[in-house]
Amino acid sequence: MTEQQSHRFERGTDGPKVIVAGVDGSDSSLRAAAYAAGLARRQGALLAIVYVQPVLAGGAALGAPVADTTEEIAQDLAAQIRESMERIKGIFDIRWEFHTFRGDPYNGLVKAADDLTADAVVVGASEQAGHRFVGSVAVRLVKAGRWPVTVVP
């Protein structure tokens, strides 16, 4: 191998191709989605925005329409995201998709990242005080060590 061959630049192979952003409607998750959109735009990557619809067995047992509520949240998030993307249309070009999964947030985001072959995951910092002791979704994703994880405050 010549010296010139060993320093050859590979066009189009650097950087993430798919960035997963986890959203749940919280301010920090929406900031994470905005941050991920900027990354996706700069990298020319696909932005996969993911909402994990919680499955609450206790709520169903009490007769609460949990599935309807989480579906309504998913539809509202999708509408907000479409609206945001419409506002930047013509200014920035971002390829994006919206996905919903059912389950607990950690396992749902892991499944989404695996199914979408994510190169990076972006989530908002937990806004719940108890997560400092038990561990937030973000901390669990970092500990999984399967993708680079960015936690947005």
Side-chain angles (χ1 to χ4, degrees):
M1 182 184 299
T2 68
E3 186 166 331
Q4 188 173 1
Q5 286 175 326
S6 67
H7 295 289
R8 197 169 62 191
F9 176 73
E10 296 180 47
R11 184 175 302 278
T13 59
D14 293 334
K17 300 292 179 230
V18 178
I19 298 171
V20 167
V23 296
D24 61 7
S26 67
D27 288 344
S28 67
S29 79
L30 297 177
R31 284 191 297 272
Y35 181 85
L39 288 176
R41 179 185 59 80
R42 288 186 296 280
Q43 295 291 330
L46 171 67
L47 173 61
I49 301 171
V50 175
Y51 169 61
V52 180
Q53 297 182 35
V55 178
L56 304 173
L62 297 172
V66 175
D68 291 345
T69 302
T70 60
E71 187 62 36
E72 191 176 303
I73 292 168
Q75 290 173 3
D76 183 51
L77 286 170
Q80 285 181 48
I81 293 161
R82 277 191 200 91
E83 202 175 281
S84 296
M85 292 301 182
E86 206 47 49
R87 282 196 304 267
I88 64 168
K89 198 175 194 176
I91 301 168
F92 299 117
D93 186 27
I94 300 172
R95 292 180 304 124
W96 66 281
E97 301 172 350
F98 182 76
H99 299 270
T100 61
F101 291 82
R102 286 196 178 275
D104 71 274
Y106 170 76
N107 287 316
L109 285 172
V110 167
K111 179 171 177 27
D114 284 345
D115 288 357
L116 299 167
T117 59
D119 297 301
V121 177
V122 180
V123 292
S126 176
E127 296 176 353
Q128 296 179 8
H131 283 168
R132 287 184 224 147
F133 304 108
V134 180
S136 67
V137 170
V139 168
R140 292 174 66 195
L141 288 168
V142 169
K143 285 182 178 180
R146 294 167 62 178
W147 329 263
V149 176
T150 302
V151 182
V152 177

